Amino acid sequence: MTRTSSPLWVDTPVWQSGPLSTASGKTTFLKMEAFQPTGSFKARGMGAACVAARDAGATRVVCSSGGNAGYSVAYAARQLGLPATIVVPRSTTARARTLIAQQAAEVIVHGEVWDEAHAYATELAARTHAAYVHPFDDPIVWAGHAEMIRELVRQVPKPGAVVASVGGGGLLVGVVQGLRDVGWTDVPVLAVETEGAASFASSFRAGELVTLERIDTVAVTLGARRVALRSLELARIHPMQPWLVSDRAAVDACLRFADDHRVLVEPACGAALAAVYDIAEPLAGCDSIVVVVCGGVAVTLAMLDEWNRSVVSR
Ligand SMILES: *Cc1c(COP(=O)(O)O)cnc(C)c1O
């Protein structure tokens, strides 16, 4: 088995975007997490969790994820020489399954949605004495994601807001924790979801964790029925605003971003970009914005074209 021959994660560039700055009327910076070796910011937190598992003596890892977390665990485990099993729900795209298998991980399909895959994976990990790597609800994962803000503070002047997508809330918690670590405690975070995956917005409004009945969105990597409790706790001490966009807006943003910056991203990331292209109201008062371009591997030109034709108009 190869030793670490490729970095688990890298420092990512920040671009001042001409097209997004023009569209939004604000100086817009892009934190290009799409340029991680696994195509998304998940390389950071999942990589850190795999290193911690190895350091704690684990001889194998198990993760449940319909996409980028599973792919990043498969990648990190392979680089660290640990066998990995990734449990994915049936909703996971064929492309994501193929990519995970290409990282030499075992892929098990279980359940209709992530929650069912997660329940099976935790049980499998306990039964086989493997380390379970949670895709979004773990302090090690948050600390890994928070690194991107420690980089950011050296790359841009203090922005008026940071825009990030929310699935299970791991990215959100990491970003907020990072902002607090570097002393940017007054920089608000716009927490963007698609309407069919509004688990953070629902919980934020209710003031307590809400479990959604179902997930219905093209942005499958945002599809957690319930967010990490930590995201709500942080919402009490850090300025945060939930924001919802339609699937159509997320897909349009992916297409527009591909033209503007020659980079393909998943609709999960398109959601955050849409909030800027369409100037989400909470951003109106900001002079400058940082968008976390979270990326995602489950996207091809053909998939974008298919979403463009099948997702209903706004
Ligand atoms: C995982 C993921 C998200 C959501 O991150 P959470 O930590 O689950 O909130 C957003 N975009 C992409 C591309 C992802 O892979």
Side-chain angles (χ1 to χ4, degrees):
M1 195 75 75
T2 49
R3 303 302 305 160
T4 299
S5 52
S6 176
L8 298 188
W9 63 87
V10 297
D11 287 11
T12 54
V14 170
W15 300 344
Q16 183 171 339
S17 169
L20 274 104
S21 299
T22 302
S24 65
K26 326 255 165 217
T27 306
T28 304
F29 296 98
L30 308 172
K31 181 63 172 155
M32 291 303 295
E33 290 297 306
F35 292 169
Q36 288 294 345
T38 62
S40 78
F41 71 95
K42 293 276 191 348
R44 296 179 186 269
M46 310 333 287
C50 287
V51 169
R54 192 238 1 229
D55 291 351
T59 52
R60 40 183 320 121
V61 293
V62 175
C63 179
S64 57
S65 159
N68 294 299
Y71 182 64
S72 289
V73 167
Y75 170 84
R78 182 190 207 182
Q79 295 297 328
L80 294 167
L82 292 172
T85 300
I86 313 297
V87 183
V88 306
R90 267 185 276 282
S91 57
T92 301
T93 59
R95 175 169 168 80
R97 290 182 209 182
T98 304
L99 286 169
I100 292 168
Q102 276 173 359
Q103 291 297 337
E106 179 190 14
V107 179
I108 295 177
V109 181
H110 187 96
E112 294 306 320
V113 291
W114 174 78
D115 306 74
E116 288 164 29
H118 166 68
Y120 178 78
T122 45
E123 184 265 316
L124 176 71
R127 183 154 43 84
T128 59
H129 307 288
Y132 181 65
V133 179
H134 196 291
F136 59 81
D137 201 354
D138 182 340
I140 293 171
V141 171
W142 303 331
H145 295 342
E147 278 293 313
M148 82 176 70
I149 305 298
R150 271 189 277 277
E151 276 164 39
L152 185 70
V153 80
R154 301 191 299 265
Q155 294 172 308
V156 293
K158 186 165 139 177
V162 174
V163 180
S165 303
V166 182
L171 174 61
L172 177 64
V173 171
V175 164
V176 171
Q177 225 168 261
L179 290 171
R180 302 188 73 76
D181 289 349
V182 303
W184 284 359
T185 51
D186 56 345
V187 174
V189 177
L190 192 69
V192 188
E193 297 168 297
T194 50
E195 287 154 356
S199 43
F200 178 71
S202 309
S203 295
F204 183 93
R205 284 192 204 111
E208 59 181 21
L209 283 184
V210 170
T211 304
L212 300 180
E213 288 273 306
R214 61 193 198 100
I215 298 291
D216 179 15
T217 180
V218 68
V220 286
T221 35
L222 300 186
R225 291 170 58 224
R226 190 173 62 214
V227 291
L229 176 62
R230 187 75 190 130
S231 63
L232 266 197
E233 290 171 353
L234 286 174
R236 297 201 186 99
I237 57 169
H238 194 91
M240 247 189 246
Q241 183 76 48
W243 190 253
L244 300 181
V245 303
S246 67
D247 274 8
R248 184 68 238 178
V251 170
D252 283 346
C254 292
L255 291 163
R256 198 164 164 186
F257 191 69
D259 283 345
D260 283 346
H261 283 290
R262 307 158 307 280
V263 174
L264 295 191
V265 296
E266 287 183 18
C269 177
L273 294 168
V276 180
Y277 277 127
D278 299 338
I279 321 171
E281 186 247 279
L283 299 176
C286 304
D287 292 334
S288 71
I289 303 169
V290 171
V291 191
V292 178
V293 182
C294 48
V297 280
V299 56
T300 61
L301 279 178
M303 287 163 82
L304 267 183
D305 190 44
E306 168 60 23
W307 292 322
N308 189 31
R309 277 179 289 155
S310 63
V311 174
V312 294
S313 48
R314 304 199 204 188

Coordinates of all heavy atoms in Angstrom, one line a residue, residues 39-42 65 67-69 135-137 141-142 145 164-173 221-224 227 265-270 293-297, ligand 1:
G39 N -11.8 17.6 -4.9 CA -12.8 18.4 -5.5 C -13.7 19.2 -4.6 O -14.6 19.9 -5.1
S40 N -13.5 19.0 -3.3 CA -14.4 19.8 -2.4 C -13.6 20.0 -1.0 O -12.6 19.3 -0.8 CB -15.7 19.1 -2.1 OG -15.5 18.0 -1.1
F41 N -14.2 20.9 -0.2 CA -13.6 21.2 1.1 C -13.6 20.0 2.0 O -12.9 20.0 3.0 CB -14.5 22.3 1.8 CG -15.8 21.8 2.2 CD1 -16.0 21.4 3.5 CD2 -16.9 21.7 1.3 CE1 -17.3 20.9 3.9 CE2 -18.1 21.2 1.6 CZ -18.3 20.8 2.9
K42 N -14.4 19.0 1.7 CA -14.4 17.8 2.5 C -13.0 17.2 2.7 O -12.8 16.5 3.7 CB -15.4 16.8 1.9 CG -16.8 17.2 1.9 CD -17.5 16.9 3.2 CE -19.0 17.0 3.3 NZ -19.7 17.6 2.1
S65 N -21.8 8.2 3.3 CA -22.0 9.5 2.6 C -22.4 9.2 1.2 O -21.8 8.4 0.5 CB -20.7 10.3 2.6 OG -20.7 11.2 1.6
G67 N -21.8 11.1 -1.1 CA -21.0 11.9 -2.1 C -19.6 12.2 -1.6 O -18.8 11.4 -1.4
N68 N -19.5 13.6 -1.5 CA -18.1 14.1 -1.3 C -17.4 13.7 0.0 O -16.2 13.5 0.0 CB -18.1 15.6 -1.4 CG -18.5 16.0 -2.8 OD1 -17.9 15.7 -3.8 ND2 -19.7 16.7 -2.9
A69 N -18.2 13.5 1.1 CA -17.5 13.0 2.3 C -17.0 11.6 2.1 O -15.8 11.3 2.5 CB -18.5 13.1 3.5
P135 N -19.8 12.2 8.6 CA -19.6 13.2 7.5 C -19.7 14.7 7.9 O -19.2 15.6 7.2 CB -20.6 12.8 6.5 CG -21.6 12.0 7.2 CD -20.9 11.4 8.3
F136 N -20.4 15.0 9.1 CA -20.5 16.4 9.4 C -20.6 16.7 10.9 O -20.5 17.9 11.3 CB -21.7 17.1 8.7 CG -23.0 16.4 9.0 CD1 -23.7 16.8 10.1 CD2 -23.6 15.5 8.1 CE1 -25.0 16.2 10.4 CE2 -24.8 14.9 8.4 CZ -25.5 15.3 9.5
D137 N -20.8 15.8 11.7 CA -21.1 16.1 13.1 C -20.0 15.6 14.1 O -20.2 14.6 14.8 CB -22.4 15.5 13.5 CG -23.0 16.1 14.8 OD1 -22.4 17.0 15.4 OD2 -24.2 15.8 15.1
V141 N -13.7 17.0 12.4 CA -14.1 17.5 11.1 C -14.3 19.0 11.0 O -13.8 19.6 10.1 CB -15.5 16.8 10.7 CG1 -16.0 17.4 9.4 CG2 -15.3 15.3 10.5
W142 N -14.9 19.5 12.1 CA -15.1 21.0 12.1 C -13.7 21.7 12.2 O -13.5 22.7 11.5 CB -15.9 21.4 13.4 CG -17.2 20.8 13.4 CD1 -18.0 20.3 12.4 CD2 -18.0 20.5 14.6 NE1 -19.1 19.8 12.8 CE2 -19.2 19.8 14.2 CE3 -17.7 20.6 16.0 CZ2 -20.1 19.4 15.1 CZ3 -18.7 20.2 16.9 CH2 -19.9 19.6 16.5
H145 N -12.2 21.7 8.7 CA -12.8 22.7 7.8 C -12.4 24.1 8.2 O -12.2 25.0 7.4 CB -14.3 22.6 7.9 CG -14.9 21.3 7.4 ND1 -14.2 20.5 6.5 CD2 -16.2 20.8 7.5 CE1 -15.0 19.4 6.2 NE2 -16.2 19.6 6.8
A164 N -21.8 30.5 2.6 CA -21.4 29.1 2.5 C -22.7 28.3 2.5 O -23.7 28.6 3.0 CB -20.6 28.7 3.8
S165 N -22.6 27.1 1.8 CA -23.8 26.2 1.7 C -23.8 25.4 3.0 O -22.8 25.2 3.7 CB -23.6 25.2 0.5 OG -23.4 25.9 -0.7
V166 N -25.1 24.9 3.3 CA -25.3 24.1 4.4 C -26.0 22.8 4.1 O -27.0 22.8 3.4 CB -26.2 24.8 5.5 CG1 -26.3 23.9 6.7 CG2 -25.6 26.1 5.8
G167 N -25.4 21.6 4.4 CA -26.0 20.3 4.3 C -26.3 19.9 5.7 O -27.4 20.2 6.3
G168 N -25.4 19.1 6.3 CA -25.5 18.7 7.7 C -25.0 19.8 8.7 O -25.1 19.7 9.9
G169 N -24.3 20.8 8.1 CA -23.8 21.9 8.9 C -22.4 21.8 9.3 O -21.9 22.7 10.0
G170 N -21.7 20.8 8.8 CA -20.2 20.7 9.2 C -19.4 21.8 8.6 O -18.6 22.4 9.3
L171 N -19.7 22.2 7.4 CA -19.0 23.3 6.8 C -19.3 24.6 7.5 O -18.4 25.4 7.9 CB -19.4 23.5 5.3 CG -18.8 24.7 4.6 CD1 -17.3 24.7 4.6 CD2 -19.3 24.8 3.1
L172 N -20.6 24.8 7.8 CA -21.0 26.0 8.5 C -20.3 26.1 9.9 O -19.8 27.2 10.3 CB -22.5 26.0 8.7 CG -23.1 27.2 9.5 CD1 -22.9 28.5 8.8 CD2 -24.6 26.9 9.7
V173 N -20.3 25.1 10.6 CA -19.7 25.1 12.0 C -18.2 25.4 11.8 O -17.6 26.2 12.5 CB -19.9 23.7 12.7 CG1 -19.0 23.7 14.0 CG2 -21.4 23.6 13.1
T221 N -26.1 16.7 -2.2 CA -25.1 16.8 -1.1 C -25.5 17.8 0.0 O -24.8 17.9 1.0 CB -23.7 17.1 -1.6 OG1 -23.8 18.0 -2.7 CG2 -23.0 15.9 -2.1
L222 N -26.6 18.5 -0.1 CA -27.2 19.3 1.0 C -28.3 18.5 1.7 O -28.9 19.1 2.6 CB -27.8 20.6 0.4 CG -26.8 21.5 -0.3 CD1 -27.5 22.8 -0.7 CD2 -25.5 21.8 0.5
G223 N -28.5 17.3 1.3 CA -29.7 16.6 1.8 C -29.5 15.9 3.1 O -29.7 14.6 3.2
A224 N -29.3 16.6 4.2 CA -29.3 16.0 5.5 C -30.7 16.4 6.2 O -31.1 17.6 6.1 CB -28.2 16.5 6.4
V227 N -29.6 19.0 10.9 CA -28.3 19.5 11.0 C -27.6 19.2 12.4 O -28.3 18.8 13.3 CB -28.3 21.0 10.8 CG1 -28.6 21.4 9.4 CG2 -29.2 21.7 11.8
V265 N -19.0 23.0 -10.7 CA -19.4 22.7 -9.3 C -20.7 22.1 -9.2 O -21.6 22.2 -10.1 CB -19.3 24.0 -8.4 CG1 -17.9 24.6 -8.4 CG2 -20.3 25.0 -8.9
E266 N -21.0 21.4 -8.2 CA -22.3 20.7 -7.9 C -23.3 21.8 -7.6 O -23.0 22.9 -7.1 CB -22.2 19.8 -6.7 CG -21.5 18.5 -7.0 CD -21.5 17.6 -5.8 OE1 -22.4 17.7 -4.9 OE2 -20.7 16.6 -5.8
P267 N -24.6 21.5 -7.8 CA -25.7 22.4 -7.3 C -25.6 22.8 -5.9 O -26.0 23.9 -5.5 CB -27.0 21.7 -7.6 CG -26.6 20.8 -8.8 CD -25.2 20.3 -8.5
A268 N -25.0 21.9 -5.0 CA -24.8 22.2 -3.6 C -24.0 23.5 -3.5 O -24.2 24.3 -2.6 CB -24.2 21.0 -2.9
C269 N -23.0 23.6 -4.4 CA -22.2 24.8 -4.4 C -22.8 25.9 -5.1 O -22.7 27.1 -4.7 CB -20.8 24.4 -5.0 SG -19.7 25.7 -5.2
G270 N -23.6 25.6 -6.2 CA -24.3 26.6 -6.9 C -25.3 27.3 -6.1 O -25.5 28.5 -6.3
V293 N -16.4 28.4 -2.3 CA -16.8 27.7 -3.5 C -16.5 26.2 -3.1 O -15.4 25.7 -3.4 CB -16.0 28.1 -4.7 CG1 -16.4 27.3 -6.0 CG2 -16.2 29.6 -4.9
C294 N -17.5 25.6 -2.5 CA -17.3 24.3 -1.8 C -17.0 23.1 -2.8 O -16.5 22.1 -2.5 CB -18.4 24.0 -0.9 SG -20.0 24.2 -1.5
G295 N -17.5 23.3 -4.1 CA -17.1 22.4 -5.1 C -18.0 21.2 -5.3 O -19.2 21.3 -5.5
G296 N -17.4 20.0 -5.2 CA -18.2 18.7 -5.4 C -17.7 18.0 -6.6 O -17.5 18.6 -7.7
V297 N -17.6 16.6 -6.5 CA -17.1 15.8 -7.6 C -18.3 15.2 -8.5 O -18.0 14.8 -9.6 CB -16.3 14.6 -7.2 CG1 -14.9 15.0 -6.9 CG2 -16.9 13.8 -6.1
Ligands
LIG1 C1 -20.9 18.2 2.0 C2 -21.1 19.3 1.1 C3 -21.8 20.4 1.4 C4 -22.5 20.6 2.8 O1 -21.6 20.5 3.8 P1 -22.1 20.1 5.3 O2 -20.9 20.0 6.1 O3 -22.8 18.8 5.2 O4 -23.0 21.2 5.7 C5 -21.9 21.5 0.5 N1 -21.4 21.4 -0.7 C6 -20.6 20.3 -1.1 C7 -20.0 20.3 -2.4 C8 -20.5 19.2 -0.2 O5 -19.7 18.2 -0.5

